[in-house]
Coordinates of all heavy atoms in Angstrom, one line a residue:
M239 N 70.6 97.5 96.9 CA 70.1 98.9 96.7 C 70.9 99.8 97.6 O 71.3 99.4 98.7 CB 68.7 98.9 97.0 CG 68.2 100.4 96.8 SD 66.4 100.8 97.0 CE 65.6 99.5 96.1
N240 N 71.4 100.8 96.9 CA 72.3 101.8 97.7 C 71.6 103.2 97.6 O 71.2 103.6 96.5 CB 73.7 101.8 97.0 CG 74.6 102.8 97.6 OD1 74.3 103.4 98.7 ND2 75.6 103.0 97.1
I241 N 71.4 103.7 98.7 CA 70.7 105.1 98.7 C 71.7 106.0 99.3 O 72.1 105.8 100.4 CB 69.4 105.1 99.5 CG1 68.4 104.0 98.9 CG2 68.8 106.5 99.6 CD1 67.2 103.8 99.7
Q242 N 71.9 107.2 98.7 CA 72.7 108.2 99.1 C 71.9 109.6 99.2 O 71.3 109.9 98.2 CB 73.9 108.4 98.2 CG 74.9 107.4 98.2 CD 76.1 107.7 97.3 OE1 75.9 107.5 96.1 NE2 77.1 108.1 97.7
K243 N 72.1 110.3 100.3 CA 71.5 111.6 100.5 C 72.3 112.6 99.9 O 73.4 112.7 100.3 CB 71.2 111.8 102.0 CG 70.5 113.0 102.3 CD 70.1 113.1 103.8 CE 69.3 114.4 104.1 NZ 69.0 114.5 105.5
L244 N 71.8 113.4 98.9 CA 72.6 114.5 98.3 C 72.3 115.8 98.9 O 73.1 116.7 98.9 CB 72.2 114.6 96.8 CG 72.4 113.3 96.0 CD1 72.0 113.5 94.5 CD2 74.0 112.9 96.1
G245 N 71.1 115.8 99.6 CA 70.7 117.2 100.3 C 69.4 116.8 101.0 O 68.9 115.8 100.9
T246 N 68.9 117.9 101.6 CA 67.6 117.7 102.2 C 66.5 117.2 101.2 O 66.2 117.9 100.3 CB 67.1 118.9 103.0 OG1 68.1 119.3 103.9 CG2 65.9 118.8 103.8
N247 N 66.0 116.0 101.5 CA 65.0 115.5 100.5 C 65.4 115.3 99.1 O 64.5 115.3 98.2 CB 63.7 116.3 100.6 CG 63.0 116.4 101.9 OD1 62.8 115.3 102.5 ND2 62.8 117.5 102.4
Q248 N 66.6 115.2 98.9 CA 67.3 114.8 97.6 C 68.1 113.5 97.7 O 69.1 113.4 98.3 CB 68.3 116.0 97.2 CG 67.7 117.3 97.4 CD 66.6 117.7 96.4 OE1 66.7 117.3 95.2 NE2 65.5 118.3 97.0
L249 N 67.6 112.5 97.0 CA 68.3 111.3 97.1 C 68.8 110.6 95.7 O 68.1 110.8 94.6 CB 67.2 110.1 97.6 CG 66.6 110.4 98.9 CD1 65.5 109.4 99.1 CD2 67.7 110.5 100.1
S250 N 69.9 109.9 95.7 CA 70.4 109.1 94.6 C 70.2 107.8 95.0 O 70.6 107.2 96.1 CB 71.9 109.3 94.5 OG 72.5 108.5 93.5
I251 N 69.6 106.9 94.2 CA 69.2 105.6 94.5 C 69.8 104.7 93.3 O 69.5 104.9 92.2 CB 67.7 105.2 94.5 CG1 67.1 106.2 95.5 CG2 67.3 103.9 94.8 CD1 65.6 106.3 95.6
N252 N 70.6 103.6 93.7 CA 71.2 102.8 92.8 C 70.6 101.4 93.1 O 70.9 100.7 94.1 CB 72.7 102.8 92.8 CG 73.4 101.8 91.9 OD1 72.8 100.9 91.3 ND2 74.7 102.0 91.8
T253 N 69.8 100.8 92.0 CA 69.2 99.5 92.3 C 70.0 98.5 91.7 O 69.6 97.3 91.7 CB 67.8 99.5 91.6 OG1 67.9 99.6 90.2 CG2 66.9 100.6 92.2
G254 N 71.2 98.8 91.1 CA 72.0 97.8 90.4 C 71.9 98.0 88.9 O 72.9 97.8 88.2
D255 N 70.6 98.1 88.4 CA 70.4 98.1 86.9 C 69.9 99.5 86.6 O 69.8 99.7 85.4 CB 69.6 97.0 86.5 CG 68.2 97.1 87.1 OD1 68.0 97.8 88.0 OD2 67.3 96.4 86.5
R256 N 69.7 100.3 87.5 CA 69.3 101.7 87.3 C 69.6 102.7 88.3 O 69.7 102.2 89.5 CB 67.7 101.8 86.9 CG 66.8 101.5 88.0 CD 65.5 101.6 87.5 NE 64.6 101.2 88.7 CZ 63.5 101.9 88.9 NH1 63.0 102.8 88.2 NH2 62.8 101.6 90.0
L257 N 69.9 103.9 88.0 CA 70.1 105.1 88.9 C 68.9 105.9 88.9 O 68.5 106.3 87.9 CB 71.4 105.7 88.5 CG 72.8 105.0 88.4 CD1 73.8 105.9 87.7 CD2 73.2 104.4 89.7
C258 N 68.5 106.4 90.1 CA 67.3 107.2 90.1 C 67.7 108.4 91.0 O 68.4 108.3 92.0 CB 66.2 106.6 90.7 SG 65.7 105.1 89.8
F259 N 67.3 109.7 90.6 CA 67.2 110.7 91.5 C 65.9 111.1 91.8 O 65.1 111.3 91.0 CB 67.9 111.9 90.6 CG 67.9 113.3 91.4 CD1 68.6 113.4 92.6 CD2 67.2 114.3 90.9 CE1 68.5 114.5 93.3 CE2 67.2 115.5 91.6 CZ 67.8 115.5 92.8
M260 N 65.7 111.3 93.2 CA 64.4 111.7 93.6 C 64.5 113.0 94.4 O 65.5 113.2 95.3 CB 63.9 110.5 94.5 CG 63.5 109.3 93.7 SD 62.4 108.2 94.5 CE 60.9 109.1 94.5
S261 N 63.6 113.9 94.3 CA 63.4 115.1 95.0 C 62.1 115.1 95.8 O 61.1 114.8 95.1 CB 63.5 116.3 94.1 OG 63.3 117.5 94.8
Y262 N 62.2 114.9 97.1 CA 61.0 114.8 97.9 C 60.4 113.5 97.5 O 61.1 112.4 97.5 CB 60.0 115.9 97.8 CG 60.5 117.2 98.5 CD1 61.3 118.0 97.9 CD2 60.2 117.4 99.8 CE1 61.8 119.2 98.5 CE2 60.8 118.5 100.5 CZ 61.6 119.3 99.7 OH 62.0 120.5 100.3
E263 N 59.2 113.3 96.9 CA 58.7 112.0 96.6 C 58.5 111.9 95.1 O 57.9 111.0 94.5 CB 57.4 111.7 97.3 CG 57.4 111.8 98.8 CD 56.1 111.5 99.5 OE1 55.1 111.5 98.8 OE2 56.1 111.5 100.7
T264 N 59.3 112.9 94.4 CA 59.1 112.8 92.9 C 60.4 112.2 92.2 O 61.5 112.6 92.5 CB 58.9 114.3 92.4 OG1 57.8 114.9 93.1 CG2 58.8 114.4 90.9
L265 N 60.1 111.3 91.3 CA 61.2 110.7 90.5 C 61.5 111.8 89.4 O 60.8 112.1 88.6 CB 60.7 109.5 89.8 CG 61.7 108.8 88.9 CD1 63.1 108.5 89.6 CD2 61.2 107.7 88.2
V266 N 62.8 112.3 89.5 CA 63.2 113.4 88.6 C 63.9 112.9 87.5 O 63.7 113.2 86.3 CB 64.0 114.5 89.4 CG1 64.6 115.5 88.5 CG2 63.3 115.1 90.5
C267 N 64.7 111.8 87.7 CA 65.6 111.3 86.6 C 65.8 109.8 86.8 O 65.9 109.4 87.9 CB 66.9 112.0 86.5 SG 68.0 111.5 85.3
E268 N 65.8 109.0 85.7 CA 66.2 107.7 85.7 C 67.3 107.4 84.7 O 67.2 107.9 83.6 CB 65.1 106.8 85.5 CG 65.4 105.3 85.5 CD 64.1 104.5 85.2 OE1 63.4 104.2 86.2 OE2 63.9 104.3 84.0
V269 N 68.3 106.8 85.1 CA 69.4 106.4 84.1 C 69.5 104.9 84.1 O 69.7 104.2 85.1 CB 70.9 107.0 84.6 CG1 71.9 106.7 83.7 CG2 70.7 108.5 84.8
T270 N 69.6 104.4 82.8 CA 69.8 102.9 82.6 C 71.1 102.7 81.6 O 71.5 103.8 81.1 CB 68.6 102.2 82.1 OG1 68.3 102.9 80.9 CG2 67.4 102.2 83.0
N271 N 71.5 101.6 81.5 CA 72.6 101.2 80.7 C 73.9 102.0 80.9 O 74.6 102.3 80.1 CB 72.2 101.6 79.2 CG 73.1 100.9 78.1 OD1 73.4 99.6 78.2 ND2 73.5 101.6 77.2
F272 N 74.2 102.2 82.2 CA 75.3 102.9 82.7 C 76.5 102.0 83.0 O 77.6 102.5 83.3 CB 75.0 103.8 84.0 CG 74.4 103.0 85.1 CD1 75.3 102.5 86.0 CD2 73.1 102.8 85.1 CE1 74.8 101.7 87.1 CE2 72.5 102.0 86.3 CZ 73.4 101.5 87.1
E273 N 76.3 100.6 83.0 CA 77.3 99.7 83.4 C 78.4 99.6 82.3 O 78.1 99.6 81.1 CB 76.7 98.4 83.7 CG 75.6 98.5 84.6 CD 74.2 98.5 83.9 OE1 74.2 98.7 82.8 OE2 73.3 98.4 84.6
D274 N 79.6 99.1 82.7 CA 80.6 98.6 81.9 C 81.0 99.6 80.8 O 81.2 99.2 79.5 CB 80.3 97.3 81.3 CG 79.9 96.3 82.3 OD1 80.7 96.3 83.4 OD2 79.0 95.5 82.2
G275 N 81.0 100.9 81.0 CA 81.3 101.9 80.0 C 80.4 102.0 78.9 O 80.6 102.7 77.8
N276 N 79.1 101.6 79.0 CA 78.1 101.8 78.0 C 77.6 103.3 78.0 O 77.8 104.0 79.0 CB 76.9 101.0 78.3 CG 77.1 99.5 78.2 OD1 78.0 99.0 77.4 ND2 76.5 98.7 79.0
E277 N 77.0 103.7 76.9 CA 76.5 105.0 76.8 C 75.2 105.0 77.7 O 74.2 104.3 77.3 CB 76.2 105.4 75.4 CG 75.7 106.8 75.2 CD 76.7 107.9 75.5 OE1 77.9 107.6 75.3 OE2 76.4 108.9 76.0
P278 N 75.1 105.8 78.7 CA 73.9 105.7 79.6 C 72.8 106.3 78.9 O 72.7 107.2 78.0 CB 74.4 106.6 80.7 CG 75.4 107.4 80.4 CD 76.1 106.7 79.2
I279 N 71.5 105.8 79.2 CA 70.3 106.4 78.8 C 69.7 107.1 79.9 O 69.3 106.5 80.9 CB 69.3 105.2 78.3 CG1 69.9 104.3 77.2 CG2 67.9 105.8 77.9 CD1 69.3 103.0 76.9
V280 N 69.5 108.4 79.7 CA 69.0 109.3 80.7 C 67.6 109.7 80.3 O 67.3 110.3 79.2 CB 70.0 110.5 80.8 CG1 69.5 111.6 81.8 CG2 71.4 110.2 81.0
K281 N 66.8 109.5 81.3 CA 65.3 109.9 81.2 C 64.9 110.9 82.3 O 65.1 110.5 83.4 CB 64.4 108.7 81.3 CG 64.6 107.7 80.2 CD 63.6 106.5 80.3 CE 64.0 105.4 79.3 NZ 63.3 104.2 79.5
I282 N 64.6 112.1 81.9 CA 64.2 113.1 82.8 C 62.7 113.2 82.8 O 62.1 113.3 81.8 CB 64.9 114.5 82.6 CG1 66.4 114.2 82.8 CG2 64.3 115.6 83.6 CD1 67.2 115.5 82.4
T283 N 62.0 113.1 84.0 CA 60.7 113.1 84.1 C 60.1 114.4 83.5 O 60.7 115.5 83.8 CB 60.2 113.0 85.5 OG1 60.7 111.8 86.0 CG2 58.7 113.0 85.7
E284 N 59.0 114.4 82.7 CA 58.4 115.6 82.2 C 58.1 116.6 83.2 O 57.6 116.3 84.2 CB 57.2 115.3 81.3 CG 56.6 116.3 80.6 CD 55.4 116.0 79.8 OE1 55.3 114.8 79.3 OE2 54.6 116.8 79.5
G285 N 58.5 117.9 82.9 CA 58.2 118.9 83.9 C 59.3 119.2 85.0 O 59.1 120.0 85.8
Q286 N 60.4 118.3 84.8 CA 61.5 118.5 85.9 C 62.7 119.1 85.3 O 62.9 119.0 84.1 CB 61.8 117.1 86.4 CG 60.6 116.4 87.1 CD 60.2 117.3 88.4 OE1 61.1 117.8 89.1 NE2 59.0 117.2 88.7
P287 N 63.5 119.7 86.0 CA 63.4 120.0 87.4 C 62.5 121.2 87.5 O 62.4 122.0 86.7 CB 64.8 120.3 87.8 CG 65.5 120.9 86.7 CD 64.9 120.0 85.5
Q288 N 61.8 121.3 88.7 CA 60.8 122.4 89.0 C 61.4 123.6 89.7 O 60.8 124.6 89.8 CB 59.6 122.0 89.7 CG 58.7 121.0 88.8 CD 57.5 120.6 89.5 OE1 57.3 120.8 90.7 NE2 56.6 120.1 88.7
S289 N 62.6 123.4 90.2 CA 63.2 124.6 91.0 C 64.8 124.5 90.7 O 65.4 123.6 90.3 CB 63.0 124.4 92.5 OG 63.7 123.2 93.0
K290 N 65.3 125.7 91.1 CA 66.8 125.9 91.0 C 67.5 124.9 91.9 O 68.6 124.3 91.4 CB 67.1 127.3 91.4 CG 68.6 127.6 91.2 CD 68.8 129.1 91.5 CE 70.3 129.5 91.4 NZ 70.6 130.9 91.6
T291 N 66.9 124.6 93.0 CA 67.6 123.6 94.0 C 67.6 122.2 93.4 O 68.6 121.6 93.5 CB 66.9 123.6 95.4 OG1 66.9 125.0 95.9 CG2 67.4 122.7 96.3
T292 N 66.4 121.8 92.9 CA 66.3 120.5 92.2 C 67.3 120.4 91.1 O 68.0 119.4 91.0 CB 64.9 120.2 91.8 OG1 64.0 120.2 92.9 CG2 64.8 118.7 91.1
A293 N 67.5 121.5 90.2 CA 68.4 121.3 89.3 C 69.8 121.3 89.7 O 70.6 120.5 89.1 CB 68.3 122.7 88.4
K294 N 70.1 122.0 90.8 CA 71.5 121.9 91.4 C 71.7 120.5 91.9 O 72.9 119.9 91.6 CB 71.5 122.8 92.7 CG 72.7 122.7 93.6 CD 72.6 123.6 94.8 CE 73.5 123.1 95.9 NZ 73.4 123.9 97.1
Y295 N 70.8 119.8 92.5 CA 71.1 118.5 93.0 C 71.0 117.5 91.9 O 71.7 116.4 91.9 CB 70.2 118.0 94.2 CG 70.6 118.7 95.5 CD1 69.9 119.8 95.9 CD2 71.7 118.4 96.2 CE1 70.4 120.5 97.0 CE2 72.2 119.0 97.2 CZ 71.6 120.1 97.7 OH 71.9 120.7 98.8
L296 N 70.3 117.6 90.8 CA 70.3 116.8 89.7 C 71.7 116.8 89.0 O 72.2 115.8 88.8 CB 69.2 117.2 88.6 CG 69.1 116.4 87.4 CD1 68.9 115.0 87.6 CD2 68.1 117.0 86.4
N297 N 72.3 118.0 88.9 CA 73.6 118.1 88.4 C 74.6 117.4 89.4 O 75.6 116.7 88.8 CB 74.0 119.6 88.2 CG 73.3 120.2 87.0 OD1 73.3 119.5 86.0 ND2 73.0 121.4 87.1
A298 N 74.5 117.5 90.6 CA 75.3 116.8 91.5 C 75.1 115.3 91.4 O 76.1 114.5 91.5 CB 75.0 117.3 92.9
F299 N 73.9 114.8 91.1 CA 73.6 113.4 90.9 C 74.4 112.9 89.7 O 75.1 111.9 89.7 CB 72.2 113.2 90.8 CG 71.7 111.9 90.1 CD1 71.6 110.8 90.9 CD2 71.4 111.8 88.8 CE1 71.2 109.6 90.3 CE2 70.9 110.6 88.2 CZ 70.8 109.5 89.0
F300 N 74.4 113.7 88.6 CA 75.1 113.2 87.4 C 76.6 113.2 87.6 O 77.3 112.4 87.2 CB 74.8 114.4 86.3 CG 73.5 114.2 85.7 CD1 72.8 115.3 85.3 CD2 72.8 113.0 85.5 CE1 71.5 115.4 84.8 CE2 71.5 112.9 84.9 CZ 70.9 114.0 84.6
E301 N 77.1 114.3 88.4 CA 78.6 114.3 88.7 C 79.0 113.2 89.5 O 80.0 112.5 89.3 CB 78.9 115.7 89.5 CG 79.9 116.5 88.8 CD 80.0 117.7 89.6 OE1 80.8 117.8 90.6 OE2 79.6 118.8 89.1
L302 N 78.2 112.7 90.5 CA 78.4 111.7 91.4 C 78.7 110.4 90.7 O 79.4 109.5 91.0 CB 77.3 111.5 92.4 CG 77.4 110.3 93.4 CD1 78.5 110.4 94.4 CD2 76.0 110.2 94.1
H303 N 77.8 110.1 89.7 CA 77.8 108.9 88.9 C 78.6 109.1 87.6 O 78.6 108.0 86.8 CB 76.5 108.5 88.7 CG 75.6 108.1 89.9 ND1 76.0 107.1 90.7 CD2 74.6 108.8 90.5 CE1 75.3 107.0 91.7 NE2 74.4 108.0 91.7
G304 N 79.3 110.1 87.4 CA 80.2 110.4 86.2 C 79.3 110.3 84.9 O 79.9 109.7 83.9
I305 N 78.1 110.8 84.9 CA 77.4 110.9 83.8 C 77.4 112.2 83.2 O 77.2 113.3 83.7 CB 75.8 110.6 84.1 CG1 75.7 109.2 84.8 CG2 74.9 110.8 82.9 CD1 74.4 109.0 85.4
H306 N 77.9 112.3 81.9 CA 78.3 113.5 81.3 C 76.9 114.0 80.4 O 76.6 113.5 79.4 CB 79.4 113.4 80.3 CG 80.5 113.0 81.2 ND1 81.2 113.8 82.0 CD2 81.2 111.8 81.2 CE1 82.2 113.2 82.6 NE2 82.3 111.8 82.2
V307 N 76.3 115.1 80.9 CA 75.2 115.6 80.2 C 75.4 117.2 80.3 O 76.1 117.6 81.1 CB 73.8 115.3 80.8 CG1 73.5 113.8 80.7 CG2 73.7 115.6 82.3
P308 N 74.7 118.0 79.4 CA 74.9 119.3 79.7 C 74.3 119.8 81.0 O 73.4 119.1 81.5 CB 74.0 119.9 78.6 CG 73.9 118.9 77.5 CD 74.0 117.6 78.3
K309 N 74.9 120.9 81.5 CA 74.3 121.3 82.9 C 72.8 121.5 82.8 O 72.4 122.3 81.8 CB 75.0 122.6 83.4 CG 76.5 122.3 83.8 CD 76.4 121.6 85.0 CE 78.0 121.3 85.5 NZ 78.1 120.4 86.5
I310 N 72.0 121.2 83.6 CA 70.6 121.4 83.7 C 70.3 122.7 84.5 O 70.8 122.9 85.6 CB 69.9 120.2 84.5 CG1 70.3 118.8 83.8 CG2 68.4 120.4 84.6 CD1 69.8 118.7 82.4
K311 N 69.4 123.4 83.9 CA 69.0 124.7 84.5 C 67.6 124.6 85.0 O 66.9 123.8 84.5 CB 69.3 125.9 83.7 CG 70.7 126.1 83.3 CD 70.9 127.4 82.4 CE 72.4 127.5 82.1 NZ 72.5 128.5 81.1
K312 N 67.1 125.5 85.8 CA 65.8 125.5 86.3 C 64.9 125.6 85.0 O 65.1 126.5 84.1 CB 65.5 126.7 87.2 CG 64.0 126.7 87.6 CD 63.8 128.1 88.5 CE 62.4 128.2 88.7 NZ 62.1 129.5 89.2
V313 N 63.7 124.9 84.9 CA 62.8 125.0 83.9 C 62.0 126.3 84.1 O 61.5 126.5 85.3 CB 61.9 123.8 83.9 CG1 60.8 123.9 82.8 CG2 62.7 122.5 83.5
K314 N 61.7 127.1 83.2 CA 61.0 128.2 83.2 C 59.6 128.1 83.1 O 59.1 127.3 82.4 CB 61.5 129.3 82.3 CG 62.9 129.7 82.5 CD 63.4 130.7 81.5 CE 64.8 130.9 81.8 NZ 65.6 131.8 80.9

């Protein structure tokens, strides 16, 4: 398991078969099927992101792992 700190209380976790983005103690996003050039499956937890800061770090998480998704903005 590899854990990287993206910001205060913002973590990227790689378990080997899935990537997770956590903000504080909330699982914001989980990515599977990202290995060997496969099309990743991105699951964003319902109601996330809840803040502009979480959205900023979620985008940084995607960039860090080379996952191409539209830029995420704060949920209104």
Side-chain angles (χ1 to χ4, degrees):
M239 182 180 301
N240 180 3
I241 300 173
Q242 291 180 277
K243 185 175 180 179
L244 301 177
T246 303
N247 297 307
Q248 312 291 317
L249 300 174
S250 170
I251 303 167
N252 183 341
T253 66
D255 62 345
R256 67 186 179 135
L257 302 170
C258 299
F259 171 66
M260 294 196 64
S261 177
Y262 291 83
E263 295 178 4
T264 302
L265 176 63
V266 176
C267 179
E268 178 181 270
V269 181
T270 56
N271 196 45
F272 58 90
E273 310 90 351
D274 303 323
N276 295 328
E277 185 67 32
I279 298 168
V280 178
K281 296 178 187 173
I282 298 177
T283 303
E284 187 174 335
Q286 294 298 324
Q288 292 187 345
S289 72
K290 184 177 180 180
T291 301
T292 300
K294 170 185 164 182
Y295 285 106
L296 177 57
N297 287 320
F299 166 79
F300 290 140
E301 234 176 82
L302 173 69
H303 296 291
I305 299 166
H306 303 287
V307 296
K309 291 288 182 191
I310 305 294
K311 297 180 182 176
K312 177 185 171 192
V313 174
K314 296 179 182 174

